[in-house]
Amino acid sequence: MTAIVEELDPERRDVELPTAVAPARRGRRDVRSRRPSGYARRTPGDWVVLAVAILLGFLIAVPFLLILVNSFKSPTDYNTSGPLTLPTELYFDGIVKFWQRVDFPEKLWNSVFISGFVSVFAVLISMFNAFALGIGRVKGRLWIVVVILLANMLPQEVLLYPLYFMFKQVGLYDNQWAVIIIFTVIQSAFGTYLLASVYSTFPKELLEAASLDGASRWQILWRVVYPISRPTLSVLLIFFFIWTWNEFLIPLTFLVSNSTQTVPVAITVLQGDRLMDVTTTSASALLGLIPTLVFFLIFQRTLTRGITAGAVK
């Protein structure tokens, strides 16, 4: 740069040229000063909350880790080292024994069949009921919602004898459709209570605009209400599937035959009918857990989107 100046004007050799050193030195200060406005350093309280959350997560994961470890441990290894040590060698006989004894593929299909139909039917009925109560504004809406809420709070033990007598009379006892009907009503009661409160705050401008365009009630439901509430319905569908999958008392009462039983019932019946070692019991719990875990992982993004839908406008 100095040579260029000398060539242009030889008399101006003492000109001080600006340098880029100063801006380079100020770079770190500029970066620190350009932090986002919402940025804040973690306080000691934040670290305490984080530590408690990690501790709770570890305590929740411990039972699953024990099931996983003991599922691949031989009975001899379990009796020698106990449940808290890793297996000396992988032992698959426990999984094979349970798979063969209960005919696990059949029980798996029964659970998927019942949970799938219940989740779909319950979501549809909940949407229809909530549309009538939250948007249609039927007479006595408040009392209907209160009755549905009270019915949903009844324990299942109270319903066993009336339901048993009713399905015995209609010939649906020891039939999977009996369990599907029962859980569809139970789950849809909760879904109706939840969706009715959501639909009651639905934007009236959209409904009025659809009515002015000549849309019927059915078209408003499927072309306006359903697309907007799809994330919430997806969350209900996932929850209904998992809740129905884990149900035990009603399937145990109404599914007597071995060919109609679900996975939780098969695990318990096998434990009471035949003596099983601890490792086989852990293997049965692992096989019963894997399908719901896979289902949750598949629909994890849908569940997250449904929960956070409407949080940011």
Side-chain angles (χ1 to χ4, degrees):
M1 181 68 70
T2 306
I4 297 174
V5 173
E6 291 176 356
E7 292 178 0
L8 295 177
D9 191 356
E11 296 180 358
R12 299 183 60 184
R13 295 181 180 181
D14 56 344
V15 176
E16 295 183 0
L17 298 177
T19 61
V21 177
R25 293 177 179 176
R26 292 196 301 268
R28 292 184 178 179
R29 295 182 180 179
D30 295 341
V31 172
R32 293 177 181 177
S33 62
R34 289 198 298 267
R35 286 176 176 174
S37 58
Y39 178 82
R41 292 183 178 181
R42 292 186 180 273
T43 61
D46 296 335
W47 290 108
V48 172
V49 172
L50 180 61
V52 172
I54 294 175
L55 179 61
L56 291 178
F58 176 76
L59 294 177
I60 293 173
V62 165
F64 300 103
L65 295 177
L66 291 178
I67 291 174
L68 180 62
V69 169
N70 293 310
S71 298
F72 300 97
K73 185 182 296 186
S74 63
T76 304
D77 193 4
Y78 180 86
N79 295 329
T80 303
S81 58
L84 300 180
T85 59
L86 295 175
T88 56
E89 59 179 0
L90 294 180
Y91 180 81
F92 297 95
D93 290 350
I95 297 177
V96 174
K97 288 179 183 178
F98 176 75
W99 188 285
Q100 295 176 349
R101 285 183 183 180
V102 302
D103 193 5
F104 185 75
E106 181 183 51
K107 305 302 182 294
L108 179 64
W109 165 249
N110 293 337
S111 294
V112 172
F113 178 78
I114 293 174
S115 302
F117 273 101
V118 168
S119 58
V120 173
F121 289 161
V123 167
L124 288 176
I125 295 176
S126 300
M127 183 177 63
F128 293 149
N129 293 341
F131 181 78
L133 295 174
I135 296 178
R137 298 291 181 176
V138 298
K139 294 182 179 180
R141 169 185 173 275
L142 178 60
W143 291 105
I144 295 175
V145 173
V146 170
V147 170
I148 292 176
L149 178 60
L150 293 177
N152 193 41
M153 295 174 62
L154 289 176
Q156 295 184 0
E157 292 79 3
V158 179
L159 305 174
L160 283 181
Y161 180 75
L163 293 175
Y164 171 81
F165 180 79
M166 180 178 65
F167 286 107
K168 197 80 171 179
Q169 292 295 322
V170 299
L172 286 179
Y173 182 72
D174 196 15
N175 193 310
Q176 295 176 353
W177 284 103
V179 179
I180 291 175
I181 294 172
I182 294 172
F183 283 127
T184 297
V185 175
I186 294 175
Q187 309 291 21
S188 61
F190 173 79
T192 300
Y193 172 75
L194 177 64
L195 286 178
S197 59
V198 174
Y199 285 177
S200 61
T201 60
F202 202 86
K204 296 181 179 179
E205 294 78 8
L206 295 177
L207 302 177
E208 294 175 354
S211 300
L212 293 176
D213 291 338
S216 61
R217 288 294 183 93
W218 184 261
Q219 292 174 334
I220 291 175
L221 174 61
W222 288 108
R223 296 185 180 182
V224 179
V225 177
Y226 169 72
I228 296 178
S229 60
R230 186 183 300 173
T232 306
L233 298 177
S234 301
V235 172
L236 285 179
L237 181 71
I238 296 173
F239 282 160
F240 289 165
F241 186 93
I242 296 177
W243 291 346
T244 307
W245 181 283
N246 294 325
E247 287 291 344
F248 172 74
L249 181 60
I250 290 180
L252 178 66
T253 305
F254 288 88
L255 301 178
V256 182
S257 301
N258 186 39
S259 59
T260 60
Q261 292 175 352
T262 59
V263 173
V265 175
I267 294 174
T268 307
V269 171
L270 182 61
Q271 291 178 357
D273 185 31
R274 305 174 186 178
L275 182 61
M276 289 197 309
D277 52 77
V278 178
T279 57
T280 306
T281 305
S282 300
S284 65
L286 179 63
L287 289 177
L289 176 65
I290 288 177
T292 53
L293 181 61
V294 172
F295 179 84
F296 177 78
L297 293 177
I298 292 174
F299 295 97
Q300 180 183 8
R301 180 172 297 182
T302 303
L303 182 63
T304 305
R305 290 177 179 176
I307 294 177
T308 58
V312 180
K313 295 184 179 179

